Amino acid sequence: MSLDEIAGEVLGAARERGTYRRMRVLDGAQSTRMRVDGREALLFAGSNALDLAHHPEVVEAAARAARDFGCAAGGSRLISGNLSIHEELEQDLAKFLGTETALAFNTGYMANVGVIPALAGDGDVVVSDALSHASIIDGCRLSRADVRVFPHGDLDALEAVLREVASTRRRVLLAVDGVYSMDGDVAPLPEMIALAKRWGAMLLLDDAHGTGTLGRTGRGSAEHCGVSEAVDMHLGTLGKALGSFGAFVAGSSALRELLVNAARSFIFSCALSPPQVAAAATALRLAQREPWRRTRLQDNARRLRSRLARLGHSTQPSTTHIVPVVVGDNARTMAACEGLLERGFYAQGIRHPSVPAGTARLRFTPMATHRTGEIDALADAVSEVLA
Ligand SMILES: *Cc1c(COP(=O)(O)O)cnc(C)c1O
């Protein structure tokens, strides 16, 4: 088959399913108000939850790092790219999370496809939730371990799997999201951790959306659930609430050494660039120094959920700043998305395979700096376009 024929086949099928994707073009400084496809809009999409990506201190730190160190790390960490600023950022992240060490990865996606195969391989078992992020799923596939998936949040099913594999398998890894990225619910971490301990499984917590946004000091979903100390491996991103780019895994010294030696996505890839590292380090400090961002973010999310509920739109099962309204039908979801954009609000419609077929949704991600009037106006506009 030719390339054109393959493209025709794949894209034709996507069009037929109503899942054909096209990229929008955004313009302007990363914040609550941007131009989307040429139209001025309030941004209720994306992951810049604390509005740190264009913070003057973050921008200045990145610019200074570019001037002082250059725009590239100049190599992979194990060759020539391990700069002192990488080590400093990792120490800051470890201190933030209360772990011995942390190790940076280039993205959360790359962290999952690096960490999971470093811990589990042929003959081992990875246990994961049915709604796990695509990067956990791909990490599982790359690992060649047996993958056991339990229904979303089903602790009895999780225990049944853990009990079954406990006596026959040497290595069992439980890999779960802290905050489900398309539903906004928080995993039942205390129960999951207790089960992992009881049945001898390691726990990898992918807290991409919880990092900086949840918990008393912003450490994330484990802190929110009161179990920070009990997590073996915290995975977080620098590209979401922490306003930069990249990711990290925090845990013991043994974990860091293991990953440096065995995580292929760490070993065989150029290190994060100095501006990215400096931006992340500064944003991390700001997130800690300005807890109002976290508080306002959760206040805004709560306000949006309750306004939508009052207007008859369920945002179940969200309890965080990821606020979905499930529409169901693909075409209706995308029409609602366009309707919102015409009214000056941007929130992307999400379809299969990002979410299970038949559960297409509008996914709203309010930010710390949206004004309450803007939240209320969004809720009213959602009601209009779904009427
Ligand atoms: C966004 C996300 C990732 C990927 O992180 P990137 O840094 O964007 O690659 C991984 N896991 C979860 C749960 C996420 O929400």
Side-chain angles (χ1 to χ4, degrees):
M1 270 177 101
S2 72
L3 171 59
D4 282 354
E5 285 166 342
I6 295 172
E9 194 172 286
V10 172
L11 298 176
R15 283 204 178 83
E16 217 154 276
R17 281 194 309 265
T19 58
Y20 179 80
R21 294 164 186 239
R22 134 191 120 71
M23 295 188 281
R24 295 182 187 280
V25 181
L26 282 82
D27 229 323
Q30 195 62 243
S31 191
T32 54
R33 206 173 274 277
M34 294 183 74
R35 287 184 77 74
V36 181
D37 282 344
R39 249 198 224 110
E40 188 77 27
L42 272 172
L43 198 68
F44 283 96
S47 316
N48 183 25
L50 301 179
D51 201 4
L52 290 173
H54 192 252
H55 189 288
E57 285 182 42
V58 175
V59 173
E60 177 51 30
R64 205 179 322 118
R67 275 196 303 271
D68 293 349
F69 304 109
C71 289
S76 68
R77 296 284 296 278
L78 283 161
I79 296 185
S80 66
N82 189 35
L83 309 178
S84 56
I85 52 172
H86 290 110
E87 297 274 340
E88 285 158 22
L89 171 64
E90 289 166 348
Q91 281 159 20
D92 292 349
L93 288 164
K95 194 161 164 224
F96 172 56
L97 283 163
T99 56
E100 277 175 7
T101 66
L103 185 70
F105 281 77
N106 287 351
T107 63
Y109 185 96
M110 287 176 71
N112 272 321
V113 301
V115 176
I116 296 171
L119 292 164
D122 203 9
D124 301 325
V125 179
V126 187
V127 184
S128 190
D129 188 284
L131 293 186
S132 285
H133 190 264
S135 57
I136 293 183
I137 296 170
D138 293 357
C140 290
R141 288 180 183 156
L142 265 179
S143 74
R144 302 206 181 97
D146 291 336
V147 180
R148 305 292 296 267
V149 175
F150 58 93
H152 180 54
D154 185 338
L155 293 165
D156 292 334
L158 169 61
E159 177 155 34
V161 173
L162 291 175
R163 186 193 296 120
E164 181 199 325
V165 297
S167 56
T168 54
R169 307 301 185 105
R170 289 173 58 231
R171 300 184 191 172
V172 180
L173 171 65
L174 173 60
V176 291
D177 294 36
V179 178
Y180 287 86
S181 52
M182 297 300 145
D183 292 271
D185 52 333
V186 178
L189 291 177
E191 294 82 1
M192 284 179 163
I193 288 169
L195 289 176
K197 291 255 180 302
R198 182 174 319 147
W199 298 105
M202 303 171 274
L203 181 84
L204 169 63
L205 173 62
D206 176 350
D207 208 18
H209 285 288
T211 307
T213 66
L214 287 180
R216 197 179 56 78
T217 66
R219 281 192 201 175
S221 54
E223 181 178 43
H224 174 77
C225 296
V227 290
S228 304
E229 313 300 321
V231 173
D232 299 320
M233 298 167 270
H234 286 263
L235 188 158
T237 54
L238 306 173
K240 289 181 175 164
L242 294 180
S244 176
F245 187 78
F248 63 90
V249 177
S252 67
S253 304
L255 171 67
R256 188 173 190 272
E257 261 181 85
L258 169 73
L259 295 176
V260 167
N261 282 275
R264 292 169 63 84
S265 63
F266 174 84
I267 299 169
F268 296 104
S269 193
C270 203
L272 289 174
S273 75
Q276 294 167 331
V277 172
T282 303
L284 178 63
R285 274 194 291 281
L286 276 165
Q288 291 171 271
R289 202 175 78 205
E290 299 185 347
W292 64 262
R293 290 180 186 272
R294 205 163 45 247
T295 313
R296 280 274 303 281
L297 173 67
Q298 296 308 337
D299 287 350
N300 277 346
R302 204 172 302 116
R303 186 176 184 99
L304 179 59
R305 291 196 304 267
S306 77
R307 297 286 293 199
L308 284 169
R310 216 172 312 147
L311 294 166
H313 304 289
S314 168
T315 58
Q316 291 291 332
S318 169
T319 57
T320 66
H321 62 289
I322 294 170
V323 181
V325 172
V326 174
V327 178
D329 178 67
N330 288 336
R332 193 165 164 242
T333 303
M334 298 324 278
C337 175
E338 292 305 325
L340 281 177
L341 196 50
E342 280 160 22
R343 287 163 175 79
F345 303 91
Y346 177 48
Q348 186 55 39
I350 310 277
R351 294 162 291 175
H352 182 78
S354 301
V355 294
T359 69
R361 65 198 64 185
L362 294 165
R363 173 183 181 265
F364 304 101
T365 49
M367 293 163 65
T369 45
H370 278 121
R371 292 192 293 265
T372 51
E374 295 172 334
I375 301 282
D376 297 352
L378 169 68
D380 292 342
V382 172
S383 228
E384 266 179 53
V385 297
L386 291 178

